[in-house]
């Protein structure tokens, strides 16, 4: 599919080529290929370099898949069943900051996990895969499924897969299967002070 996204200023095509499909081909992903995506995420920047993120992954057709898949809402299950992997991004709420003797709340844990997810998604695009983040899951079910200890927040579940034929999707979802647009930069960025 050609990409209708137009950038208003010069940027690398990587940024407009990344988008979140729901039509995945049923291709599986080899563990090393998935590790490349997680490796990119590992190199994300974080406050004080505490790296609050952790990734719990499951490849389809492995025992780890079903418990994570079962925690997704029905809508997300409908299209992720063809994904190659699910990656749960979690982050530690507290950190041991440099020079401190005890862990303290890390107010940037989610912000930094977001940077890690974005790195994963861009590496997926570069590697010919696609990544689609999801907030639609049952948090309690997922927490139990991945045996998440106290002190960690679940940020998102990311579906990774090879883009497939939109014909596999139900009508209503198929028409969403295209790169979306963005608010204008002038409505997003302002010099000096916030503008409504
Ligand atoms: C944190 C987060 C949660 C999301 N949750 C869902 C979800 O549960 N189901 C879904 O189909 N898409 C979900 N999305 C995908 C967004 O709708 C999508 O990223 C957004 O519309 C922008 O489109 P693009 O990623 O194709 O550029 C989520 C994205 C993010 C970043």
């Amino acid at each position: 599919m050609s990409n209708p996204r137009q950038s208003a200023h010069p940027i690398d095509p990587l940024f407009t080529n990344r988008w979140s499909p729901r039509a995945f081909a049923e291709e599986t992903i080899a563990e090393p290929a998935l590790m490349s995506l997680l490796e990119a995420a590992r190199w994300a920047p974080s406050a004080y370099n505490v790296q609050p993120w952790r990734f719990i992954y499951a490849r389809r057709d492995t025992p780890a898949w079903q418990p994570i898949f079962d925690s997704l809402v029905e809508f997300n299950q409908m299209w992720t069943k063809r994904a190659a992997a699910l990656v749960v991004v979690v982050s530690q709420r507290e950190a041991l900051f440099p020079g401190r003797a005890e862990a303290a709340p890390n107010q940037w844990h989610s912000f930094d996990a977001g940077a890690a997810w974005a790195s994963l998604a861009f590496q997926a695009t570069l590697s010919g895969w696609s990544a689609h983040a999801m907030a639609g899951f049952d948090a309690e079910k997922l927490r139990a499924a991945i045996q998440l200890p106290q002190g960690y927040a679940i940020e998102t579940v990311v579906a990774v897969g090879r883009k497939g034929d939109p014909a596999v999707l139900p009508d209503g979802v198929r028409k969403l299967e295209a790169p979306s647009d963005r608010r204008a930069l002038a409505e997003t960025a302002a010099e000096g002070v916030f503008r409504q």
Side-chain angles (χ1 to χ4, degrees):
M1 183 197 291
S2 66
N3 189 338
R5 287 175 163 176
Q6 297 287 331
S7 68
H9 296 271
I11 56 172
D12 191 282
L14 172 64
F15 296 99
T16 43
N17 285 345
R18 184 221 57 82
W19 63 283
S20 307
R22 294 189 182 87
F24 286 122
E26 281 181 77
E27 190 175 328
T28 53
I29 189 168
E31 186 140 4
L34 182 58
M35 289 307 115
S36 284
L37 310 190
L38 300 180
E39 177 69 10
R42 183 170 80 92
W43 287 102
S46 61
Y48 297 94
N49 197 23
V50 298
Q51 307 158 61
W53 49 73
R54 298 287 188 281
F55 313 115
I56 296 86
Y57 61 89
R59 293 183 302 132
R60 206 181 68 239
D61 304 331
T62 69
W65 170 272
Q66 201 63 37
I68 297 174
F69 179 82
D70 285 346
S71 77
L72 300 177
V73 298
E74 212 176 304
F75 174 79
N76 287 334
Q77 288 186 348
M78 175 268 296
W79 57 268
T80 53
K81 65 185 176 203
R82 290 180 210 89
L86 295 171
V87 178
V88 188
V89 179
V90 306
S91 67
Q92 194 167 18
R93 294 178 190 277
E94 294 196 335
L96 186 59
F97 291 106
R100 298 292 179 94
E102 283 179 19
N106 176 6
Q107 71 179 90
W108 306 283
H109 69 95
S110 287
F111 182 81
D112 292 343
W117 130 252
S119 299
L120 185 164
F122 288 122
Q123 183 60 53
T125 301
L126 287 168
S127 305
W129 294 93
S130 291
H132 191 143
M134 291 172 281
F137 53 81
D138 179 323
E140 283 319 302
K141 222 171 171 177
L142 182 54
R143 186 168 275 279
I146 62 173
Q147 299 172 30
L148 190 65
Q150 290 299 311
Y152 286 83
I154 301 177
E155 302 289 353
T156 191
V157 183
V158 181
V160 173
R162 198 76 88 181
K163 256 189 222 114
D165 185 349
V168 298
L169 297 171
D171 287 354
V173 186
R174 191 184 323 128
K175 62 175 192 277
L176 303 173
E177 195 66 359
S180 54
D181 205 355
R182 290 296 184 271
R183 193 169 58 223
L185 185 59
E187 295 172 43
T188 297
E191 187 171 14
V193 291
F194 188 90
R195 280 185 224 291
Q196 292 294 344

